[in-house]
């Protein structure tokens, strides 16, 4: 079975023959003229010098007899002459280290304007280098490409034949990228016709820019020393560690041998300086070195870093891809050991990884459930091992406890694990949370958490489970081309989501999928298609994040459509078939392509509608927006609906955001354009109508047009149930008697709390008025849902569905997605007593999913404003008293986070309180004091869980409550009473009206007076509250200096709070509050946050801050710090580009926009100022809505900043940064400065020369005066 496409790629057409997707370009197939069969790697890691010495042995299968030059990928290494062998014979080779192009020679006096010259020098480092390796080995004369004798008993010959057979499937030999440009039949014959060649390459790497990262060896770095490999989505880093074929599709088996010191003390022992023999000094053989002792005194051992005696004895552990074969002591050096590993499954060089350090081993297999072990059978249970630095074993045990179950779940559901064991190593400084290699995941220590930490739990587990899923899809099964990456990325995240559904429940799964779907609809505007996105992942992590968002969601709705149409198991069966084929089939079975995957899905599921689906969701871009209108036709007894989608009405001129500026900038520079807008999305759509008798009726319609009219027959024959009857039913049924899951559940199965008159009074609740109840009784159905089975990634807007139908959906529909849609509607509505009533009931009903309850808290934030007389604020305070205070008091109970669902609701309350505003735009007195009291009286002594994140939320809410927002409208006066028509006597009726009007006026006057007094006291209280709040914020900052919080969350939160308050001018600008955290030795997350705050406050234009930032982002030893500081730098550039620190209304020559109209010629001046002000506003709009306008404004504002220019070029010349980092900085130069193609060359003059004529020697000096101007 072949799952990649073997045929020329054609345009996708619909059944009528019309092209509905652009043709897929034929991939550029490199011509290696050989297939890599096996590779041996021998590495000797020296920690004291941070260098590597090694040797590789590649076994290749020639595919043509004309093979004369073998091209190998190698970077940043030196290869000795006369040591490269082909079949044991010395071979000539040409090699020039391409990484040397990163270093600009001293004689080239370049500056930031010569960025294009340097970009041209390193261009080949970022290009597709497949089959164009920098190490070119010429076959020696004594070595020829000979044909294979198929009847030979030579083991090498038999292995070559076996490898050839394993590489040939349906006439294709080797990986697709290694296929020569000849016919498949010839290639298949040649793969087994020629004898294998063995290439041996020794090498030395003395300085690493990429590939291998050392930790704990720099001055001032107090961490345990260790090293690990770095990885990326694109080729280039593997060849920085050892020579190889750095092509993701050129895969082979591996033998890896790593030599390193036995103990940490041995690894860091300084090497003695070499002794130079002095020929003029007589030797003293009698007083030489005896057993390392000079004159009877043993030399003092010196180490690279200071170590205690216990630390010196820590064993250096080697964790590597593959299975451990053996471990032995080095015969020549007793302080070193040698470990061998074998990868028996073919993988690419980029999936070979290792880590060496004083790691502790944690056996994660101990957490395997007995039931899973019995299902797997004897000997089938996989061994899971975790590795971490000393002192973090408990965190690894707690963070990774579900992983054994996850591996077993995947194995039982999809197929056997592709390798013999699985290991995780937790390391520092890694840019991404996880890097995936064969049988080994390199994980960041940032995702570790202790057993007392709650908040990052689910996302950390999701990240680690995805690391396991990537072993199936991403390492074992790989994409055929870069544009096919969406398949493996999507499938691995899809597998992860299925396991998290198994672990956390269906509600959590669907709620998250709906949340991600809404996020995708907002983000998928002016973005490339999913297919095209695979070519742009190298631009930055933002592209990968978008693919990780969209790809699994597309597979999710595909699975939904397959299950409904074909009644098959859906994609789970497809995944199982793919895994089985990869585990049992040939090499080509583990390659997937976009077109091949579509055909495979059709074959397995019998679902034939994949072609338009692929065209719209894979090759197309964007998400549909459905505008839905409906009405009931009594005459025809049907529901008439109109569903229209107009993709061309989506606003393309949206305001730019600082967070997306770097992406917009890079896509603009690299010519990445938005995918073609889909005029119409088609497919099945499920409409569910809950009719009068409460029965839901499903109708599946096929959407084929941009505006589609649908007529749905009405099924209920009996008159609609009256509301008073339903009211009696819900009153007679006690709350809780009809939860989720009951098939005969009555109306109002949820949210039927707080129903007594006392509850109405205490909670300030309201019910429907008579007019609304009458409308509800006249409706022919309770509510309706479009896309009830979640088969579309879209935004739905009902133009005529009344609010009470959303409430019915919230209370009666048991689908969490339906409840989420209702809460989203209530959140978007203006403040209303009825809306707050239903939000409170939703919040107080614990049967709702916790995500719905937190949405209810967020919705109440819009009801705690002056316009509603702060009703929402009082209701939220009442909720807090009921759930988290002693009964009948306002005294908070000690923290108890054992019920995590309630904990998440509690954390949402202060966030909502901080958003409530009075008429002046400030958080009103009761709300802000509520937050301060929560912080002051927080008691976590008896709680088994930490309250770090709760404190962080309270600090952020406290800062937010000090910031001025949009003022609220004052509460309206109540309408005056009308005549009581039940009174017969007109005079008496008039007198009664006058009395009631007078009482009403007095009541309203008293109410206005009370509100005015509250407003005045609110204003007077603010300065005192501000002082108290700032003291509380500062107290937690000092606290974190004495006892570190989890990941220094107190300090980072306080810095965020200070940044917000300074930016909103609540407190004066104090840059030293952040600058104190910029020095070396500060925790990485704190240092990054301090820079982020300074830059966000506009200090990118401060010469000292900008220079320091550029210096650190180019010289810091941590790749993680450098990467995030570059993002911070881009945020600063975005602020300058958007003109954040400029006043668009200020005209030239005017002060604060004022003009002296009494001066001579004032009228003309005023006109000039007005025109200038208008132009300034137009320029401001252009720079904030268009990336072209923003980049032009950025260039104009910074073109004269010579300090920034010099600091930027100094950063480019840093010897610490790698290829991608230098490219990013060169991109910044291309934005800010005009390219200059001339350059100054510095020559060393005068030059001395000498000639010899016979026995006479003549010396002289050659003077050269030159003015060099080189044009490139």
């Amino acid at each position: 079975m072949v799952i990649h496409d073997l045929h020329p790629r054609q345009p996708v057409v619909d059944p009528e023959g019309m092209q509905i997707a652009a043709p897929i370009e034929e991939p550029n197939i490199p011509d290696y003229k050989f297939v890599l069969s096996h590779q041996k790697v021998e590495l000797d890691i020296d920690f004291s010098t941070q260098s590597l010495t090694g040797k590789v042995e590649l076994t290749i299968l020639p595919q043509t007899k004309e093979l004369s030059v073998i091209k190998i990928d190698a970077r940043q290494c030196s290869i000795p002459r006369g040591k490269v062998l082909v079949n044991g014979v010395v071979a000539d080779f040409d090699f020039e280290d391409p990484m040397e192009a990163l270093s600009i020679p001293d004689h080239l006096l370049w500056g930031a304007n010569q960025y294009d010259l340097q970009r041209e020098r390193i261009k080949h480092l970022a290009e597709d280098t497949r089959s164009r390796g920098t190490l070119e080995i010429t076959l020696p004369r004594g070595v020829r490409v000979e044909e294979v004798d198929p009847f030979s008993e030579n083991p090498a010959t038999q292995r070559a034949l076996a490898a050839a057979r394993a590489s040939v499937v349906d006439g294709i030999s080797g990986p697709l990228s290694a296929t020569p440009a000849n016919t498949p039949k010839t290639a298949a014959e040649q793969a087994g016709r020629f004898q294998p060649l063995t290439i041996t390459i020794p090498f030395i790497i003395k300085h690493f820019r990429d590939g291998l990262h050392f930790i704990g060896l720099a001055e001032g770095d107090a961490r345990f020393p260790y090293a690990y490999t770095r990885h990326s989505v694109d080729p280039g880093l593997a060849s920085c560690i050892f020579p190889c074929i750095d092509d993701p599709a050129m895969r082979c088996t591996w033998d890896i041998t790593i030599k390193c010191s036995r103990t940490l003390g041995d690894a860091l022992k300084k090497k003695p300086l070499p002794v130079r023999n002095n020929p003029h000094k007589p030797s003293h053989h009698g007083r030489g070195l005896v057993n390392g002792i000079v004159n009877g005194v043993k030399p003092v051992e010196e180490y690279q870093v200071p170590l205690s005696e216990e630390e010196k004895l820590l064993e250096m552990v080697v964790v590597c891809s593959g299975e451990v074969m053996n471990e032995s002591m080095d015969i020549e050096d007793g302080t070193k050991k040698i470990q061998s590993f074998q990868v028996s499954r073919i993988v690419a060089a980029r999936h070979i990884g290792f880590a060496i350090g004083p790691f502790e081993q944690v056996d994660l297999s101990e957490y395997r459930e007995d039931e899973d072990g019995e299902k797997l059978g004897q000997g089938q249970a996989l061994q899971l091992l975790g590795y971490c630095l000393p002192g973090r074993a408990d965190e690894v045990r707690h963070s990774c406890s579900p992983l054994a179950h996850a591996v077993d779940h995947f194995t039982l559901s999809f197929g056997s694990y592709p390798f013999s064991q699985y290991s995780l190593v937790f390391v520092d400084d890694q840019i991404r949370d996880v890097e995936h290699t064969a049988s080994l995941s390199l994980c960041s220590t940032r995702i570790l958490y202790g057993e007392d930490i709650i908040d990052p739990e689910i996302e950390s587990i999701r990240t680690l489970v995805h690391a396991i899923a990537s072993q199936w899809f991403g390492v074992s099964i790989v994409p055929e081309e870069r544009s096919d990456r969406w398949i493996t990325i999507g499938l691995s995240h899809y597998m992860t989501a299925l396991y998290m559904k198994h672990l956390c429940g269906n509600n959590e799964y669907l709620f998250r999928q709906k949340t991600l779907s809404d996020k995708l609809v907002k983000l998928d505007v002016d973005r490339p298609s999913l297919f095209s996105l695979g070519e742009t992942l190298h631009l930055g992590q933002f592209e990968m994040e978008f693919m990780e968002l969209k790809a699994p969601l597309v597979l999710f709705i595909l699975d939904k459509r397959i299950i409904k149409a074909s009644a098959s198991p859906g994609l789970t069966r497809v995944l199982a078939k793919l895994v089985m084929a990869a585990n049992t089939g040939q090499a080509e079975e583990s390659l997937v392509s976009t077109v091949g995957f579509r055909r495979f899905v059709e074959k397995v599921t019998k679902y034939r509608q994949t072609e338009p689906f692929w065209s719209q969701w894979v090759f197309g871009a964007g998400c549909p927006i459905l505008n839905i209108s409906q009405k009931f036709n009594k005459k025809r007894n049907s529901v008439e609906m109109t569903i229209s989608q107009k993709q061309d009405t989506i606003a393309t001129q949206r305001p730019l955001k600082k967070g997306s500026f770097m992406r917009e900038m890079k896509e603009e520079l690299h010519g990445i354009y938005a995918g073609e807008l889909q005029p119409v999305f088609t497919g099945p759509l499920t409409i569910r109508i809950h009719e009068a008798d409460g029965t839901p009726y499903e109708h599946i319609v096929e959407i084929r047009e941009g505006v589609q009219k649908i007529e749905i027959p009405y099924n209920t024959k009996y008159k609609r149930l009256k509301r008073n009857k339903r009211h009696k039913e819900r009153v007679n049924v006690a709350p809780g008697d009809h939860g989720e899951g009951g098939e005969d559940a009555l109306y109002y199965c949820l949210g039927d709390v707080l129903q007594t008159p006392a509850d109405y009074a205490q909670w300030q609740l309201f019910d429907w008025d008579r007019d609304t109840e009458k409308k509800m009784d006249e409706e022919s159905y309770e509510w309706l849902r479009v896309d009830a089975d979640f088969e579309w990634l879209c935004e739905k807007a009902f133009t005529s569905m009344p609010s009470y139908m959303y409430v019915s959906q919230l209370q009666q529909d048991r689908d969490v997605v339906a409840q989420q849609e209702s809460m989203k509607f209530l959140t978007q509505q203006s403040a209303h007593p009825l809306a707050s009533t239903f939000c409170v009931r939703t919040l107080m009903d614990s049967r709702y999913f916790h995500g719905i309850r937190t949405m209810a808290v967020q919705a109440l934030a819009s009801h705690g404003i002056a316009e509603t007389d702060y009703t929402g604020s009082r209701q939220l305070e009442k909720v807090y008293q009921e759930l988290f205070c002693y009964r009948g008091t306002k005294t908070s109970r000690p923290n108890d986070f054992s019920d995590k669902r309630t904990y998440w609701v509690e954390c949402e309350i202060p966030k909502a309180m901080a958003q409530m505003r009075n008429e002046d735009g400030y958080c009103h007195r009761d709300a802000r004091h509520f937050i301060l009291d929560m912080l002051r009286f927080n008691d976590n002594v008896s709680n088994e869980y930490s309250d770090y994140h709760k404190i962080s939320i309270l600090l952020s809410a406290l800062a937010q409550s000090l910031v001025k927002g949009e003022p609220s409208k004052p509460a309206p006066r109540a309408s005056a009473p009308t005549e009581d028509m039940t009174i017969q006597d007109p005079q008496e009726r008039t007198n009664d009206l006058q009395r009631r009007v007078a009482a009403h006026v007095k009541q309203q006057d008293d109410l206005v007076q009370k509100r005015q007094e509250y407003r005045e006291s609110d204003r007077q209280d603010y300065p005192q509250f501000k002082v108290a709040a700032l003291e509380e914020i500062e107290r937690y900052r000092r606290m974190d200096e004495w006892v570190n919080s989890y990941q220094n969350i107190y300090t980072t939160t306080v810095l965020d709070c200070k940044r917000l308050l300074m930016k909103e001018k609540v407190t004066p600008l104090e840059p030293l509050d952040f600058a104190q955290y910029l020095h070396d030795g500060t925790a990485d997350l704190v240092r990054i946050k301090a820079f982020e705050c300074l830059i966000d406050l506009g200090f990118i234009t401060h010469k000292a801050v900008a220079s320091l930032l550029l210096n650190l982002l180019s010289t810091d030893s941590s790749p993680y710090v450098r990467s995030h500081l570059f993002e911070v730098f881009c945020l600063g550039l975005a602020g300058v580009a958007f003109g954040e620190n400029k006043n668009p209304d200020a005209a030239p020559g005017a002060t604060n926009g004022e003009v002296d109209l009494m001066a001579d010629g004032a009228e003309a001046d005023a006109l000039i100022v007005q025109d200038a002000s208008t132009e300034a506003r137009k320029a401001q709009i252009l720079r904030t809505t268009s990336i072209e306008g923003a980049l032009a404004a950025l260039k104009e504002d910074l073109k004269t900043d010579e300090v920034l220019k010099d600091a930027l070029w100094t950063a480019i010349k840093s010897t610490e940064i790698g290829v991608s980092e230098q490219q990013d900085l060169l991109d910044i130069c291309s934005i800010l400065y005009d390219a200059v193609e001339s350059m100054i060359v510095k020559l060393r003059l005068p030059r001395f020369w000498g000639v010899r004529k016979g026995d006479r020697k003549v010396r002289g000096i050659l003077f050269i005066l030159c003015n060099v101007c080189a044009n490139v």
Side-chain angles (χ1 to χ4, degrees), residues 405-523:
H405 181 258
V407 170
D408 297 341
H409 177 80
F410 287 151
T411 302
L412 294 171
S413 302
F414 306 112
S416 60
Y417 180 74
F419 304 101
S420 58
Q421 67 178 28
Y422 179 64
S423 302
L424 302 99
V425 183
F426 291 89
V427 297
D428 298 313
D429 294 350
Q430 188 166 265
I431 297 177
R432 298 201 297 172
D433 287 339
V434 178
E435 295 292 353
H436 313 291
T437 67
S439 75
L440 170 66
S441 292
L442 296 166
C443 307
S444 170
T445 53
R446 296 186 300 273
I447 61 177
L448 289 177
Y449 60 95
E451 60 182 356
D452 62 332
I453 303 296
I454 295 178
D455 295 70
E457 180 181 23
I458 292 180
E459 290 308 313
S460 292
I461 292 175
R462 191 186 309 277
T463 301
L464 292 171
V465 171
H466 176 255
I468 297 175
S470 298
Q471 295 293 311
W472 275 272
F473 292 95
V475 177
S476 175
I477 299 175
V478 297
E480 181 179 297
E481 292 292 330
R482 293 197 300 180
S483 54
D484 303 320
R485 290 170 173 168
W486 72 272
I487 305 174
T488 54
I489 292 173
L491 289 177
S492 61
H493 280 277
Y494 179 75
M495 284 177 63
T496 303
L498 291 180
Y499 176 75
M500 296 304 293
K501 174 184 177 182
H502 173 76
L503 188 67
C504 302
N506 189 59
N507 279 348
E508 174 75 33
Y509 174 67
L510 290 177
F511 186 85
R512 183 174 186 272
Q513 294 295 88
K514 176 59 178 174
T515 303
L516 295 179
S517 174
D518 293 341
K519 180 180 178 182
L520 176 64
V521 172
K522 294 180 180 178
L523 294 181

Side-chain angles (χ1 to χ4, degrees), residues 12 18 32 152 188 192 240 285 354 402 505 569 574 702 732 781 789 838 859 1168 1174 1217 1243:
V12 181
M18 295 182 63
Y32 284 99
S152 172
C240 289
H285 299 286
F354 62 85
V574 175
E702 192 73 23
N732 293 332
Y781 51 87
D789 289 336
F838 294 116
I1168 294 173
T1174 303
I1217 61 176
L1243 301 178

Side-chain angles (χ1 to χ4, degrees), residues 992-1057:
D992 175 75
L993 178 62
Q994 291 176 350
R995 287 193 301 269
R996 287 191 292 115
V997 167
H1000 171 75
V1001 171
K1002 185 178 184 305
Q1003 180 185 12
Q1004 291 299 308
D1005 290 342
D1006 293 343
L1007 188 58
V1008 170
Q1009 177 70 20
K1010 184 179 179 181
R1011 289 171 179 169
Q1012 189 63 33
E1013 292 174 356
Y1014 179 83
R1015 183 177 182 182
E1016 189 62 31
S1017 65
D1018 195 345
R1019 290 173 175 172
Q1020 294 175 0
D1021 173 77
Y1022 180 81
Q1024 299 175 1
F1025 174 82
K1026 175 181 171 181
V1027 172
L1030 293 177
E1031 288 178 353
E1032 202 69 21
I1033 291 172
E1034 183 65 17
R1035 183 171 73 88
Y1036 278 95
R1037 185 195 66 80
R1038 294 194 303 267
M1039 188 185 301
D1040 205 24
E1041 293 179 352
W1042 290 97
V1043 181
N1044 286 344
S1045 58
Y1046 173 73
Q1047 294 185 351
N1048 296 110
I1049 190 172
Y1050 285 173
T1051 302
T1052 54
T1053 302
V1054 168
L1055 292 179
D1056 260 333
C1057 293

Side-chain angles (χ1 to χ4, degrees), residues 724-753:
N724 56 3
K725 180 179 178 181
R726 292 184 291 138
H727 179 73
K728 292 178 182 178
E729 288 179 350
R730 61 169 169 151
V731 169
N732 293 332
V733 179
D737 291 347
H738 37 67
E740 298 183 33
E743 292 298 327
D744 54 348
L746 300 175
Y747 290 100
Y748 294 92
C749 63
L750 292 173
D752 53 351
V753 296

Side-chain angles (χ1 to χ4, degrees), residues 115 254 259 276 312 737:
Y115 66 85
W254 297 77
K259 181 192 294 187
R276 296 182 179 179
K312 292 177 185 177
D737 291 347

